[in-house]
Amino acid sequence: MAKEITNRSEDYSQWYIDIVKKANLADNSAVRGCMVIKPYGFGIWENMRDQLDRMFKDTGHVNAYFPLFIPKSFLSREAEHVEGFAKECAVVTHHRLMNAPDGSGVVVDPEAKLEEELIVRPTSETIIWHTYKDWINSYRDLPLLINQWANVVRWEMRTRLFLRTAEFLWQEGHTAHATRQEAEEETLKILDVYATFAEEYMAMPVIKGIKTANERFAGAEETYCIEALMQDGKALQAGTSHFLGQNFAKAFDVKFLNENNQEEYVWATSWGVSTRLMGGLIMTHSDDQGLVLPPKLAPTQVVIVPIPKPAPEIDEVAEKIMRELKDLGISVSYDTDMRKRPGFKFAEHEMRGIPVRLGIGKRDLEKGVVEVARRDTKEKASQPLEGIAAHVQQLLTDIQQNLFDRAAAFRAEKTVKVDSFDDFKAVLDQDIPGFISAHWDGTTETELKIKELTKATIRCIPLDAEEEEGKCILTGKPSSQRVLFAKAY
Amino acid sequence: MAKEITNRSEDYSQWYIDIVKKANLADNSAVRGCMVIKPYGFGIWENMRDQLDRMFKDTGHVNAYFPLFIPKSFLSREAEHVEGFAKECAVVTHHRLMNAPDGSGVVVDPEAKLEEELIVRPTSETIIWHTYKDWINSYRDLPLLINQWANVVRWEMRTRLFLRTAEFLWQEGHTAHATRQEAEEETLKILDVYATFAEEYMAMPVIKGIKTANERFAGAEETYCIEALMQDGKALQAGTSHFLGQNFAKAFDVKFLNENNQEEYVWATSWGVSTRLMGGLIMTHSDDQGLVLPPKLAPTQVVIVPIPKPAPEIDEVAEKIMRELKDLGISVSYDTDMRKRPGFKFAEHEMRGIPVRLGIGKRDLEKGVVEVARRDTKEKASQPLEGIAAHVQQLLTDIQQNLFDRAAAFRAEKTVKVDSFDDFKAVLDQDIPGFISAHWDGTTETELKIKELTKATIRCIPLDAEEEEGKCILTGKPSSQRVLFAKAY
Ligand SMILES: [Zn+2]
Ligand SMILES: [Zn+2]
């Protein structure tokens, strides 16, 4: 199997597609730009979703569900939002099909034209704030801390499995607050949830930062983000949290009576992560043999392979180990397929990124050992049967940590400070460019010029950026702090 | 609050709407026929979904995700399916909006017309079987036991919150098998899962049966269902499981090589339950004071109310009880709102259907007791503080059982055998009609005639129906078993 994947050094894009397909994560569908998420890929997404959902609930949020469709006129209500979202979208114009008069199949019934077209939600601020108008009257109704797990559609021309698809799955939080301060705190609290999830579960180090005005969400006052670095030296925006100010409250006329009985507009946030995270997960850890998964998100954490095939004495040991691992909350499977040789199975389980493989052979059993192979480093070792479950448990923790450390070391190596535009371009011309920390004069004009010249964009102004006097790499104008540039997905 | 609900005896439909709205379960939205599921309603749905998901996984199923959109031509592939589903549906014809030339907002860009229209899935057999063609080559690829949780859209003219909405949430299982027998067994296995879930979790007794040819799913060879009886004597179809034969495999040309290296068409099932179950849950148990929830599905199983308001000695006891209940896996909240009086809170928690309420007052505390009120019977009793957690745990079990028993007794009372059409009509003319077990000659013609004359439909041919010679209540023609009639939602 492994030979079927392109090497990263040869063609990174093709390597990515190969992993997605050969590891059975997703596939293209009959509908342009829409993907099928296959059971194994969906199992990983379920683990991500369940963990995020726990974290949202632990921070006081509840789930709800709002309509798939948005009346066309809603999109025009918020002036900037319409520019950002009322473009490439799926438009429902009719509500009935009929048999074709010539018997050739079904056609749209021209009599069933909708009075107002409906847009398949590209994001739900408008329909949700229309609803919040009915829910909010007084400060007693606030805050509303609501999240929804949903599918959304943005009609993308160039799509890539998980990273950019016309339909994708995501969660979108939409909160309503009585004060600016509370809404700003919420925006940052969620940014922390995202960063914690990315680092502790995905083992993907991220930079927390603020987007420039040019990269801000359409309708937001401030957009915060987490940015990760992929193995090819390109950045991936992994999640965004928006402080919306009173923009949507004003657009949908959502006011509340404060404790002094005065009317005020409500303050808002929105925030989301999507199946795009699957792309980030793949591109952070995987290698030329296939997928590499952090143990905390792997649907199967341990696989046991009988060598060369199942036999009563091997099965007995395997079942004992499985019971012990399950008792520790570790997911494990026993590969009893009689049609495949061990070497073939090893390659398959490597392709699927299963963190730990245990090989059990009769000769090993006589010595009281099993072979333990870890997916991240591909190291193998003989390990005593006695205490094997505890050993594997510790190993899973080590693998989780190692994946994070490895990605963090890569990012550190691929993050450079530069102080001239020549150096800037030189870094971007490398095979694996990475993050560039550089001075910028703060104008959208310069930002766009740099993008035009180099394809690099400002990923964010890092939250932990220190004040530092400097000069814009392009214009030489004064700058008070460095921002983070990169080529990006 | 309670006074705001219409009595069931006065206007059952209005009572239902009142419950849905006053208990904060769902609301209408700006989009005709689409509902907003509010956080409390969604919390109940999450509990239902999570339990069903566990049951599907325990029976070997995995989740995946298929596109929201279906190419129009796919619907025409299976001859009966197109008649059933290519009618009232949402049709996407364009993929872009543009600013209106007159500056009045956004309009559909006429240049962005799709070559082939896309239908928002009303159900996913077609797109899934198109996909399965790529996934199935050999008997080794079978069975495929896949489920998806998704939103679907059927353009309904007359909608009712949860019971019939244009967009609804559901799960749809789509399995592929090498043999007819295996597919038939799967169909029945899932029917059992649905019945177990309905009875053990929703506390809603159901009849398992087979639909008549006329009520069969479009494209199925056989449709099995579970049917429940609501308090107003109308039936609710709560879930369906379809044996699809080789119809979709033939329509999408999905063949496999069997163990003898011969090509065969794949056998299929599909099955689903939806947010409609929320309507069934409400109408099975609730009363004129509000929602009544079975403890196994209640987001909050126990609420503690300080009487008349929080105080240090009350808070201390409440917190101790909460810890004990949480240790037993029971969800509990403490209502510390200072702005509401106990009586008002009681009415609110009754409206929300919280199964058990504990009232803690200072005088009770001096006696070492608390007041325990159960929602199902509205009984109250003084209970010693000592051992209160274990008492509440047992009480929740009793309430779960009582709700089922009560609903089962109601159904038994409201299920009658009749042997003449006059008696049949007389039963249906009652305020609360119920299930009617009667003989039918087996023809669609008679079935439709009865429906036309009485509005009653054949809900199912019960799986446990005994052979019995008789005469059709309408035509007098011979019949070999009774079927179950009712007016239905
Ligand atoms: Zn295709
Ligand atoms: Zn409205």
Side-chain angles (χ1 to χ4, degrees):
Chain A
M1 287 188 79
K3 67 182 179 326
E4 298 175 54
I5 326 191
T6 306
N7 283 340
R8 282 168 292 180
S9 56
E10 225 169 275
D11 182 344
Y12 194 81
S13 294
Q14 188 57 47
W15 166 83
Y16 175 77
I17 293 169
D18 288 350
I19 296 262
V20 172
K21 298 204 170 176
K22 304 288 179 196
N24 276 320
L25 302 179
D27 215 336
N28 295 310
S29 78
V31 182
R32 232 189 92 284
C34 292
M35 66 180 157
V36 172
I37 306 179
K38 300 178 84 170
Y40 190 58
F42 202 81
I44 300 168
W45 173 244
E46 282 182 306
N47 286 347
M48 296 174 73
R49 184 195 66 189
D50 290 351
Q51 177 55 32
L52 280 163
D53 199 67
R54 274 189 291 272
M55 294 170 86
F56 297 148
K57 284 176 177 157
D58 285 347
T59 45
H61 300 84
V62 290
N63 289 327
Y65 188 76
F66 295 88
L68 171 67
F69 299 125
I70 295 178
K72 190 190 64 179
S73 60
F74 279 26
L75 287 181
S76 319
R77 294 270 198 103
E78 210 286 328
E80 292 185 1
H81 197 66
V82 67
E83 292 302 316
F85 287 101
K87 283 174 178 163
E88 296 297 330
C89 51
V91 187
V92 177
T93 57
H94 291 73
H95 66 80
R96 192 184 306 133
L97 295 174
M98 54 185 255
N99 290 320
D102 65 0
S104 64
V106 284
V107 293
V108 177
D109 182 347
E111 312 242 306
K113 194 169 182 329
L114 294 173
E115 267 182 56
E116 180 179 4
E117 295 89 350
L118 297 173
I119 312 307
V120 178
R121 61 182 163 218
T123 181
S124 302
E125 279 77 6
T126 57
I127 187 98
I128 288 180
W129 279 88
H130 175 87
T131 309
Y132 281 0
K133 183 174 169 58
D134 293 336
W135 294 0
I136 299 171
N137 291 300
S138 133
Y139 69 95
R140 292 190 192 87
D141 301 321
L142 297 172
L144 284 178
L145 303 173
I146 296 180
N147 176 59
Q148 100 170 339
W149 291 94
N151 52 346
V152 286
V153 173
R154 298 176 187 177
W155 207 267
E156 301 285 353
M157 282 300 113
R158 298 178 54 187
T159 61
R160 210 183 267 208
L161 291 166
F162 290 123
L163 292 169
R164 192 179 295 278
T165 48
E167 182 192 17
F168 56 93
L169 303 184
W170 80 344
Q171 60 70 215
E172 44 180 328
H174 296 275
T175 68
H177 305 266
T179 66
R180 164 186 277 273
Q181 190 192 333
E182 196 185 291
E184 284 176 336
E185 284 168 6
E186 166 78 7
T187 313
L188 284 165
K189 179 191 284 180
I190 292 298
L191 192 72
D192 280 339
V193 166
Y194 286 162
T196 302
F197 173 76
E199 300 201 332
E200 293 184 8
Y201 289 83
M202 297 176 67
M204 180 175 81
V206 292
I207 306 276
K208 292 189 278 190
I210 302 177
K211 286 287 183 194
T212 61
N214 177 56
E215 299 272 343
R216 205 176 276 156
F217 177 77
E221 285 201 10
E222 204 75 272
T223 287
Y224 295 83
C225 62
I226 53 171
E227 296 282 329
L229 190 65
M230 304 295 100
Q231 294 172 8
D232 62 346
K234 286 169 77 176
L236 183 87
Q237 175 181 300
T240 48
S241 183
H242 315 294
F243 170 63
L244 302 175
Q246 296 174 314
N247 293 342
F248 284 90
K250 285 178 180 163
F252 289 90
D253 192 33
V254 188
K255 293 176 191 161
F256 72 103
L257 280 178
N258 68 20
E259 299 199 37
N260 305 317
N261 226 34
Q262 294 160 323
E263 270 201 337
E264 283 187 64
Y265 283 111
V266 177
W267 298 87
T269 84
S270 71
W271 29 275
V273 297
S274 73
T275 36
R276 176 166 235 234
L277 287 178
M278 291 285 292
L281 187 73
I282 295 162
M283 289 198 294
T284 299
H285 304 299
S286 301
D287 62 24
D288 293 344
Q289 279 68 52
L291 192 65
V292 174
L293 289 176
K296 285 189 187 177
L297 297 176
T300 302
Q301 296 170 305
V302 178
V303 63
I304 303 176
V305 179
I307 295 169
K309 58 185 185 198
E313 59 273 46
I314 294 177
D315 298 352
E316 197 185 310
V317 172
E319 276 151 26
K320 179 163 180 291
I321 294 174
M322 286 205 285
R323 274 195 306 276
E324 291 173 6
L325 290 175
K326 282 177 186 163
D327 284 347
L328 295 171
I330 294 165
S331 58
V332 53
S333 75
Y334 183 35
D335 185 347
T336 57
D337 194 328
M338 296 294 282
R339 296 173 306 221
K340 296 171 184 166
R341 298 167 148 277
F344 188 87
K345 291 180 179 180
F346 292 176
E348 268 190 338
H349 300 312
E350 279 174 10
M351 180 70 83
R352 290 159 60 85
I354 298 176
V356 171
R357 184 183 74 226
L358 301 181
I360 308 184
K362 289 187 195 174
R363 269 195 303 184
D364 279 350
L365 280 189
E366 281 162 19
K367 291 185 238 157
V369 299
V370 293
E371 186 186 77
V372 179
R374 53 190 283 184
R375 176 65 184 87
D376 60 337
T377 60
K378 290 197 225 78
E379 288 165 343
K380 293 183 198 179
S382 237
Q383 195 64 32
L385 255 176
E386 186 71 32
I388 188 70
H391 175 79
V392 167
Q393 185 180 38
Q394 182 58 48
L395 186 58
L396 289 169
T397 306
D398 294 348
I399 292 171
Q400 182 80 31
Q401 187 64 45
N402 179 53
L403 288 175
F404 179 83
D405 292 345
R406 200 160 80 174
F410 170 78
R411 187 185 69 181
E413 184 194 324
K414 286 292 170 187
T415 303
V416 294
K417 283 190 187 182
V418 309
D419 292 309
S420 79
F421 198 56
D422 282 343
D423 289 351
F424 187 83
K425 285 185 292 185
V427 173
L428 291 170
D429 281 343
Q430 293 172 2
D431 278 346
I432 299 179
F435 280 133
I436 304 177
S437 177
H439 280 283
W440 161 63
D441 65 18
T443 68
T444 297
E445 193 190 344
T446 300
E447 183 180 3
L448 293 176
K449 186 80 192 168
I450 293 172
K451 182 175 179 183
E452 190 193 315
L453 293 171
T454 66
K455 290 189 180 145
T457 51
I458 300 178
R459 303 316 305 152
C460 67
I461 304 157
L463 290 191
D464 62 2
E466 282 161 27
E467 276 201 35
E468 180 193 292
E469 295 306 308
K471 286 177 182 172
C472 173
I473 45 162
L474 187 73
T475 63
K477 290 186 190 158
S479 149
S480 64
Q481 64 179 11
R482 290 173 184 272
V483 299
L484 209 59
F485 287 88
K487 290 185 184 171
Y489 280 93
Chain B
M1 285 190 79
K3 65 182 180 325
E4 300 176 51
I5 324 191
T6 307
N7 283 339
R8 282 168 292 180
S9 57
E10 225 169 274
D11 182 343
Y12 192 81
S13 293
Q14 188 58 47
W15 167 82
Y16 175 77
I17 293 169
D18 287 350
I19 296 263
V20 172
K21 297 203 171 177
K22 304 287 180 196
N24 276 320
L25 303 179
D27 215 336
N28 296 309
S29 79
V31 182
R32 235 189 88 283
C34 293
M35 67 181 156
V36 172
I37 306 180
K38 299 177 85 171
Y40 191 58
F42 202 82
I44 300 168
W45 173 245
E46 283 183 306
N47 287 346
M48 296 174 74
R49 185 196 64 189
D50 290 350
Q51 177 55 32
L52 280 164
D53 199 67
R54 275 189 290 271
M55 294 170 86
F56 297 148
K57 285 177 177 158
D58 285 348
T59 46
H61 300 85
V62 290
N63 289 328
Y65 188 76
F66 296 88
L68 171 67
F69 300 124
I70 296 178
K72 190 190 64 179
S73 59
F74 279 24
L75 288 181
S76 320
R77 294 269 197 104
E78 210 285 329
E80 292 184 2
H81 196 68
V82 66
E83 292 302 317
F85 286 102
K87 283 172 180 166
E88 295 298 329
C89 51
V91 187
V92 177
T93 57
H94 291 74
H95 66 81
R96 192 183 307 132
L97 295 175
M98 54 185 257
N99 291 319
D102 65 0
S104 64
V106 285
V107 293
V108 177
D109 182 346
E111 311 241 307
K113 195 170 183 327
L114 295 174
E115 268 183 57
E116 179 179 4
E117 295 88 349
L118 297 173
I119 312 306
V120 179
R121 62 184 162 216
T123 181
S124 302
E125 278 78 7
T126 57
I127 187 96
I128 288 180
W129 279 88
H130 175 86
T131 310
Y132 281 1
K133 182 174 169 60
D134 293 336
W135 294 0
I136 299 171
N137 291 301
S138 131
Y139 70 95
R140 293 189 191 89
D141 301 320
L142 297 172
L144 284 178
L145 302 173
I146 295 180
N147 176 59
Q148 100 170 340
W149 291 94
N151 52 346
V152 285
V153 172
R154 298 175 188 177
W155 207 266
E156 301 284 353
M157 283 299 113
R158 298 179 53 188
T159 61
R160 208 183 268 206
L161 290 166
F162 290 123
L163 292 169
R164 191 179 296 278
T165 48
E167 182 191 17
F168 56 92
L169 303 184
W170 80 344
Q171 60 70 216
E172 44 180 326
H174 295 274
T175 69
H177 305 267
T179 66
R180 165 186 277 271
Q181 190 193 332
E182 197 184 290
E184 284 177 335
E185 283 168 4
E186 166 79 7
T187 313
L188 284 165
K189 179 191 284 179
I190 291 297
L191 191 72
D192 280 339
V193 166
Y194 286 162
T196 301
F197 173 75
E199 301 201 330
E200 293 185 9
Y201 289 83
M202 297 176 67
M204 180 175 80
V206 293
I207 307 277
K208 292 189 278 190
I210 303 177
K211 286 286 181 193
T212 61
N214 176 56
E215 298 272 344
R216 205 175 276 155
F217 177 78
E221 286 201 10
E222 204 75 271
T223 287
Y224 295 83
C225 62
I226 53 170
E227 296 281 329
L229 191 64
M230 303 295 100
Q231 294 172 11
D232 62 346
K234 287 168 76 176
L236 183 86
Q237 174 179 302
T240 48
S241 183
H242 315 293
F243 170 63
L244 303 175
Q246 296 174 314
N247 293 343
F248 285 90
K250 285 178 181 163
F252 289 91
D253 191 34
V254 188
K255 294 177 190 161
F256 72 103
L257 280 179
N258 67 20
E259 299 199 37
N260 304 319
N261 226 31
Q262 294 160 324
E263 270 201 339
E264 283 186 66
Y265 283 110
V266 177
W267 297 88
T269 84
S270 70
W271 29 275
V273 296
S274 73
T275 35
R276 178 165 232 236
L277 287 178
M278 291 285 292
L281 186 73
I282 296 162
M283 289 198 294
T284 300
H285 305 300
S286 301
D287 62 23
D288 293 345
Q289 278 68 52
L291 191 65
V292 174
L293 289 176
K296 285 189 187 177
L297 297 176
T300 302
Q301 296 170 304
V302 178
V303 63
I304 303 176
V305 179
I307 296 169
K309 59 185 185 199
E313 58 273 46
I314 294 177
D315 297 352
E316 196 185 309
V317 173
E319 276 152 26
K320 179 163 180 290
I321 295 174
M322 287 206 285
R323 275 195 306 276
E324 290 173 8
L325 289 175
K326 282 178 187 164
D327 284 347
L328 294 171
I330 293 166
S331 58
V332 53
S333 76
Y334 182 35
D335 185 345
T336 56
D337 194 328
M338 296 294 282
R339 296 174 306 220
K340 296 171 183 166
R341 299 167 146 275
F344 188 87
K345 290 181 178 178
F346 292 176
E348 269 191 337
H349 300 313
E350 279 174 10
M351 180 70 84
R352 289 158 61 84
I354 297 176
V356 171
R357 183 184 73 227
L358 302 181
I360 307 184
K362 288 187 196 175
R363 269 194 305 184
D364 279 351
L365 281 189
E366 281 162 20
K367 291 185 237 158
V369 298
V370 293
E371 187 187 76
V372 179
R374 52 190 282 184
R375 177 65 184 86
D376 60 338
T377 60
K378 291 198 224 77
E379 288 166 341
K380 293 182 199 178
S382 237
Q383 195 64 33
L385 254 176
E386 186 69 34
I388 188 71
H391 175 79
V392 167
Q393 186 179 38
Q394 182 58 47
L395 186 58
L396 289 169
T397 306
D398 294 348
I399 293 172
Q400 182 80 28
Q401 187 63 45
N402 179 54
L403 288 175
F404 179 82
D405 292 346
R406 200 160 80 174
F410 170 79
R411 187 184 69 181
E413 185 195 324
K414 287 292 170 187
T415 303
V416 294
K417 283 190 186 180
V418 309
D419 292 309
S420 79
F421 197 57
D422 282 344
D423 289 351
F424 186 82
K425 285 184 292 186
V427 172
L428 290 170
D429 281 343
Q430 293 172 3
D431 279 346
I432 299 179
F435 280 134
I436 304 177
S437 176
H439 280 284
W440 160 63
D441 66 18
T443 68
T444 296
E445 193 190 347
T446 300
E447 182 180 4
L448 293 176
K449 187 79 191 166
I450 292 173
K451 182 174 179 183
E452 189 192 317
L453 293 170
T454 66
K455 291 190 180 142
T457 51
I458 300 178
R459 302 318 304 154
C460 67
I461 305 157
L463 291 190
D464 62 2
E466 282 161 25
E467 275 199 36
E468 180 193 292
E469 295 305 309
K471 286 177 182 171
C472 174
I473 45 161
L474 187 72
T475 63
K477 290 184 189 159
S479 149
S480 64
Q481 63 179 12
R482 290 174 184 272
V483 298
L484 209 59
F485 288 89
K487 290 184 184 171
Y489 279 93

